[in-house]
Amino acid sequence: MGKKVLIIGAGGVGNVVAKKCAMNPDVFSEVVLASRTKSKCDAIAEECAKIGLPTPVQTAQVDADNVPELVALINEVKPWMIINVALPYQDLTIMDACLETGVHYMDTANYEPKDVAKFEYSWQWAYKERFEQAGLMALLGCGFDPGVTQVYTAYANKHHFDEMHYLDIIDCNAGDHGKAFATNFNPEINIREITQNGRYWENGEWVEIPPMSIHKAIDYPGIGPKESYVLYHEELESLVKNFPTIKRARFWMTFGQQYLTHLNVLQNVGMTSIEPIKFKGIDIVPLEFLKAVLPEPGTLGENYTGETSIGCQIKGIKDGKDRTYYVWNNCKHQDCWSEVQAQGVSYTTGVPAMLGAMMMITGEWFKPGVWNCEEMNPDPFMAMLNVHGLPWNELVDITLPHEY
């Protein structure tokens, strides 16, 4: 029997999650979409009705920074779980509200404080005992990366390796949205992520590097070679914890030269700063102002062409012999627009969020506490990726583009 879900966040990802949930009434019997700006929720609900999705989408207004307001909405709506696709700054307030109301929780990105460009799982892992004692489940980071990349790694570990030693997560967006400079998800979060120092795991410790200082061309299936840069990405923290045989883990992402040129100029003139400045007697944060003038990521989809390619390249041991493994998905922006009126980056985050909720509701992934995706059985999730729009490919014992 399906369950009622409350989705918080009505950006590009919230649009995808709402529509994909509304397509699956056997699992999601009722869908409520809430945001600080109710008109955004109403527009998505109207689109769902217009394209004839079987589960009606109801809407509500909520300030996700405000625990009492969240609690009041949850008590009114009475959902089985919350799918949090709001801002990472709001993870803890929503988790607090879930504990107060006895509702399960899921998100797509780990918590980070608004005044420090730093993201890690420690704040959310600290909720583990409270969720266990309440009989509630919290599933963290169930987008694509983080999310699917962790499921890929768990699947590789289960089916292809006795020990995994080297992990490289590679993320390419070879799409073209026609804008001089735009980010594919929330500009504030995106720019904070890529302008901080990079980090990767090697031989039991974190190695910190200047931003974008390690890069090389990586050949992506169906796309070709693209310059790729080592960043720190949150799933590395949980993966090296849960798979302790990993000797080195890195995350690579592609950036075009035009994007990097714009970003460098914005950094040089102070527009990416998160420190408030006085402007006409008012405190403003330059990065928040920049976000306001950049294109809204949810508006990029209609004319977006090209595709994304995200996957895991792993080297390790199976039956005493060296083994390499590559698992990935390619996703065309045009196909995403045709299905749910979204660009590919929103789609590749939103579909796994829906699937994570589906896994929890059906009981395939359900146990009280706070969990990362790789701690669950990967097989049912991998099967559903093929059904719901993110089919995956794999190659075993091929040459990978890394030094070992």
Side-chain angles (χ1 to χ4, degrees):
M1 182 176 174
K3 304 287 188 184
K4 179 190 278 192
V5 294
L6 171 59
I7 302 164
I8 299 179
V13 176
N15 167 63
V16 176
V17 177
K19 288 174 179 172
K20 295 298 278 191
C21 287
M23 290 176 186
N24 292 279
D26 292 346
V27 178
F28 305 98
S29 58
E30 296 181 66
V31 176
V32 181
L33 178 63
S35 171
R36 191 189 306 267
T37 308
K38 187 173 179 290
S39 59
K40 290 184 177 181
C41 304
D42 293 337
I44 293 169
E46 287 168 13
E47 284 186 1
C48 291
K50 185 177 179 181
I51 59 181
L53 300 184
T55 302
V57 175
Q58 304 164 56
T59 64
Q61 191 276 333
V62 72
D63 178 357
D65 291 318
N66 187 312
V67 174
E69 202 170 305
L70 286 163
V71 167
L73 178 63
I74 295 168
N75 284 333
E76 178 188 340
V77 171
K78 295 181 172 56
W80 187 82
M81 72 176 293
I82 284 181
I83 302 173
N84 170 19
V85 286
L87 295 172
Y89 318 135
Q90 297 162 330
D91 289 358
L92 301 189
T93 54
I94 298 174
M95 292 178 80
D96 287 337
C98 285
L99 284 170
E100 191 168 333
T101 55
V103 169
H104 305 291
Y105 171 88
M106 195 208 74
D107 65 35
T108 62
N110 70 0
Y111 173 74
E112 60 178 284
K114 192 169 178 62
D115 56 351
V116 184
K118 178 182 182 181
F119 49 104
E120 60 184 51
Y121 279 116
S122 61
W123 291 287
Q124 291 179 279
W125 284 343
Y127 280 68
K128 188 175 182 70
E129 282 188 17
R130 278 176 282 172
F131 270 79
E132 283 177 354
Q133 290 166 3
L136 298 175
M137 179 175 180
L139 180 65
L140 306 182
C142 194
F144 205 110
D145 43 351
V148 174
T149 51
Q150 290 150 282
V151 178
Y152 281 172
T153 305
Y155 183 83
N157 185 68
K158 181 175 179 179
H159 295 285
H160 294 284
F161 291 94
D162 296 323
E163 287 188 8
M164 297 185 296
H165 293 162
Y166 300 93
L167 167 66
D168 287 277
I169 298 169
I170 60 172
D171 182 327
C172 171
N173 179 14
D176 180 8
H177 46 53
K179 307 288 185 184
F181 182 79
T183 61
N184 292 292
F185 58 96
N186 183 289
E188 194 178 345
I189 304 301
N190 180 239
I191 291 171
R192 280 166 63 120
E193 179 181 293
I194 64 176
T195 54
Q196 65 175 293
N197 282 344
R199 274 200 302 165
Y200 63 92
W201 181 260
E202 189 164 35
N203 297 325
E205 62 183 19
W206 292 106
V207 179
E208 190 162 310
I209 59 172
M212 319 291 266
S213 58
I214 296 178
H215 57 95
K216 66 179 175 182
I218 293 177
D219 197 355
Y220 293 87
I223 294 171
K226 292 287 182 181
E227 199 68 14
S228 307
Y229 298 78
V230 170
L231 309 178
Y232 176 66
H233 226 242
E234 62 219 66
E235 65 263 48
L236 297 180
E237 181 183 14
S238 66
L239 285 168
V240 300
K241 171 177 171 278
N242 289 313
F243 299 110
T245 63
I246 292 177
K247 298 176 182 178
R248 186 184 69 207
R250 301 179 294 191
F251 182 94
W252 304 78
M253 184 175 277
T254 60
F255 295 97
Q257 192 53 54
Q258 178 171 289
Y259 181 95
L260 293 177
T261 300
H262 277 80
L263 183 63
N264 286 337
V265 171
L266 291 167
Q267 277 188 280
N268 288 340
V269 298
M271 286 304 299
T272 63
S273 171
I274 62 174
E275 296 296 325
I277 63 166
K278 286 283 186 190
F279 178 72
K280 295 186 176 180
I282 300 170
D283 278 341
I284 66 164
V285 175
L287 182 53
E288 290 180 0
F289 177 79
L290 177 61
K291 173 187 173 182
V293 299
L294 288 176
E296 168 70 37
T299 66
L300 299 175
E302 187 168 8
N303 299 307
Y304 221 136
T305 57
E307 61 190 297
T308 64
S309 182
I310 311 172
C312 294
Q313 298 183 333
I314 305 169
K315 183 177 186 295
I317 299 292
K318 178 69 172 177
D319 297 328
K321 298 178 181 177
D322 285 347
R323 162 153 292 181
T324 60
Y325 180 69
Y326 179 23
V327 55
W328 78 95
N329 162 266
N330 275 35
C331 182
K332 289 185 169 61
H333 290 286
Q334 305 93 307
D335 293 346
C336 303
W337 179 258
S338 297
E339 184 188 353
V340 292
Q341 299 75 56
Q343 40 101 338
V345 177
S346 296
Y347 189 87
T348 55
T349 306
V351 172
M354 180 276 290
L355 290 179
M358 178 183 286
M359 295 292 104
M360 290 172 65
I361 289 170
T362 60
E364 292 283 2
W365 284 8
F366 189 84
K367 51 184 176 178
V370 176
W371 306 98
N372 294 95
C373 292
E374 70 271 21
E375 297 177 279
M376 303 292 117
N377 177 12
D379 294 359
F381 191 98
M382 292 288 280
M384 287 298 101
L385 285 169
N386 288 326
V387 173
H388 292 281
L390 293 176
W392 48 277
N393 309 276
E394 62 181 351
L395 290 170
V396 180
D397 290 335
I398 59 163
T399 300
L400 298 176
H402 310 291
E403 304 76 36
Y404 300 109

